[in-house]
Amino acid sequence: MLSIGTVLGWSVAALGAVSAIAAVILGWNEMLAIAIVCGVLLVIAVPFVLRSAAYRVSVELASARVVVGEPAVGRLIVANTAARRSPSTRVLLPVGTARPEFPVPPLDPDAEHDDLFTIPTQRRAVLTLGPVTSVRSDPIELLQRRVRWTEPTDLYVHPRVIPLDGDTTGILRDLEGLPTRDLADDDVSFHALREYVPGDDLRHVHWKSTARTGVTMIRQFEQTRRSHLVVALSTRADEYDSDDEFELAVSIAGSVGVSAIASGKTVSLLTPRRTVGPRSGTQLLDLLSGVESAEGDAGIGELGRTVATTAAGASVVIFVTGSQAAPVDMRAAAVRIPVTARALGLRAAETERLSRRVIGDLALASVPDLSSLRSAMRAVTA
């Protein structure tokens, strides 16, 4: 793709055109000289970009997922697939908003050139790598030839998480088969006996009671439900004292969710902008890599209402927010969830000590750092 798109190239072309017109109209030889010089420069630049190259380009990452703070290491490979020697060129590999440039020397047919690179990961993010583009230009960059060689790929910078063992937090124990107040004619949790009515399943006849009373008696059961953990993460910026506090909240949400998934629980991640049900811990961390805080997002108080509409079958809801969230909003979040669910709260509070308090039916713990999360979970599930 030939592009005369540089600012300097368009400026020289415009100057040459204006000078030529002025020379014709005004008869100024000086303007004619400027027009000639501009034209010569453009003509000289053409051979530098006419010759094309045929490359096979690939980007290899040691891992497409890294933890924040750990560098991502990769390799850029450029191979000449033409039957003749390729010219030197520059290769651009965009990484997020950065635009690193790699010089590629002339290559013989079937020869390869590779460059190792390291991407620092100072903060959690989803970084887009590529597309890789080769750039050839004349010495003063009046003309450029840009060719795209690869498609963009994603690099996930995960938040830091810690494992929460079953004996560390009661919330991650096996919650399968929790009874509800709803009665059913077929389940695993026995509740009571009642008289037979036409249509009942005869397999549930309680023969001993039937023989003793002379009336056909049927077993009745309490309905049970599978455990469903909802991690509700507030992304409202003014509920957090700093960006670091929000990062701590994301790590808390990730730690709880990943540990629950590893224990075989159904987990939903809920934010003001979306509700998703990740099938694996890796998928959950991928989602958390792209979560950002914003001033206009709904606060923690509204998340309870969202839980009621999008995860009505939740058995446990853990609200995660920052130190600036108002207690009344935490209380509002807890009372809006389904009545069959249990509500817990975790506050990322870097300037506070590990502590526990109760707001209505909501057990709430302040977590000053990620290493305190296990103790905080013990406190809220006690």
Side-chain angles (χ1 to χ4, degrees):
M1 177 179 61
L2 183 61
S3 173
I4 311 176
T6 66
V7 174
L8 183 57
W10 282 112
S11 299
V12 170
L15 177 60
V18 171
S19 299
I21 294 172
V24 172
I25 296 175
L26 302 176
W28 292 357
N29 291 332
E30 293 83 355
M31 300 302 293
L32 179 60
I34 293 175
I36 292 174
V37 170
C38 291
V40 169
L41 289 175
L42 291 172
V43 170
I44 292 176
V46 169
F48 288 93
V49 296
L50 279 182
R51 184 181 175 186
S52 62
Y55 291 131
R56 182 179 66 253
V57 181
S58 60
V59 178
E60 298 178 354
L61 289 173
S63 175
R65 293 168 174 85
V66 296
V67 178
V68 62
E70 297 179 355
V73 179
R75 184 166 69 134
L76 173 67
I77 305 171
V78 180
N80 179 19
T81 60
R84 59 180 181 177
R85 184 177 174 86
S86 66
S88 61
T89 189
R90 294 174 292 142
V91 171
L92 303 180
L93 173 58
V95 181
T97 58
R99 295 292 185 271
E101 183 177 295
F102 300 86
V104 177
L107 297 175
D108 292 328
D110 299 323
E112 288 187 354
H113 172 80
D114 60 25
D115 276 298
L116 294 177
F117 60 87
T118 301
I119 303 172
T121 57
Q122 306 299 334
R123 65 185 306 274
R124 175 184 51 82
V126 179
L127 299 176
T128 300
L129 273 65
V132 176
T133 305
S134 64
V135 180
R136 294 197 67 234
S137 64
D138 59 277
I140 58 177
E141 298 191 353
L142 295 178
L143 303 180
Q144 280 189 347
R145 177 188 289 271
R146 289 177 174 264
V147 181
R148 173 172 167 168
W149 298 103
T150 67
E151 295 299 320
T153 58
D154 289 332
L155 169 65
Y156 294 92
V157 183
H158 287 173
R160 294 188 180 279
V161 296
I162 60 172
L164 302 175
D165 299 328
D167 58 354
T168 301
T169 167
I171 206 62
L172 298 182
R173 294 173 187 163
D174 186 9
L175 299 177
E176 298 292 346
L178 287 177
T180 71
R181 295 185 178 90
D182 301 323
L183 299 182
D185 295 328
D186 187 7
D187 214 313
V188 295
S189 181
F190 175 73
H191 175 66
L193 297 174
R194 63 171 175 80
E195 290 188 14
Y196 170 85
V197 295
D200 285 339
D201 191 339
L202 294 179
R203 292 176 301 176
H204 298 145
V205 172
H206 193 269
W207 295 110
K208 289 185 178 179
S209 298
T210 298
R212 185 173 63 252
T213 63
V215 178
T216 304
M217 303 297 291
I218 294 291
R219 295 183 182 90
Q220 193 170 41
F221 303 84
E222 286 183 323
Q223 286 186 345
T224 58
R225 54 190 170 92
R226 293 180 57 84
S227 60
H228 180 185
L229 173 65
V230 174
V231 180
L233 172 65
S234 172
T235 58
R236 187 179 179 90
D238 59 11
E239 290 187 353
Y240 297 91
D241 189 51
S242 64
D243 290 340
D244 289 341
E245 193 169 272
F246 178 69
E247 293 302 315
L248 174 58
V250 174
S251 292
I252 291 172
S255 298
V256 172
V258 168
S259 296
I261 291 173
S263 299
K265 306 297 180 292
T266 299
V267 175
S268 292
L269 173 66
L270 186 149
T271 68
R273 301 185 184 186
R274 62 188 306 191
T275 300
V276 291
R279 298 181 179 179
S280 66
T282 298
Q283 186 180 13
L284 173 63
L285 294 177
D286 285 351
L287 294 167
L288 287 173
S289 295
V291 170
E292 299 290 344
S293 62
E295 294 290 346
D297 284 354
I300 193 70
E302 293 299 318
L303 285 181
R305 196 187 311 276
T306 306
V307 171
T309 57
T310 62
S315 52
V316 178
V317 182
I318 298 183
F319 293 100
V320 183
T321 186
S323 61
Q324 302 305 305
V328 65
D329 291 334
M330 297 293 298
R331 171 62 176 162
V335 300
R336 288 169 176 168
I337 67 173
V339 295
T340 56
R342 181 184 180 188
L344 305 173
L346 297 171
R347 296 171 65 247
E350 291 188 316
T351 60
E352 301 178 14
R353 293 184 177 181
L354 176 65
S355 61
R356 177 186 183 274
R357 58 175 167 166
V358 177
I359 304 175
D361 296 331
L362 176 68
L364 181 65
S366 297
V367 186
D369 52 62
L370 193 58
S371 62
S372 303
L373 180 57
R374 294 187 182 93
S375 298
M377 289 298 294
R378 291 192 190 99
V380 295
T381 58

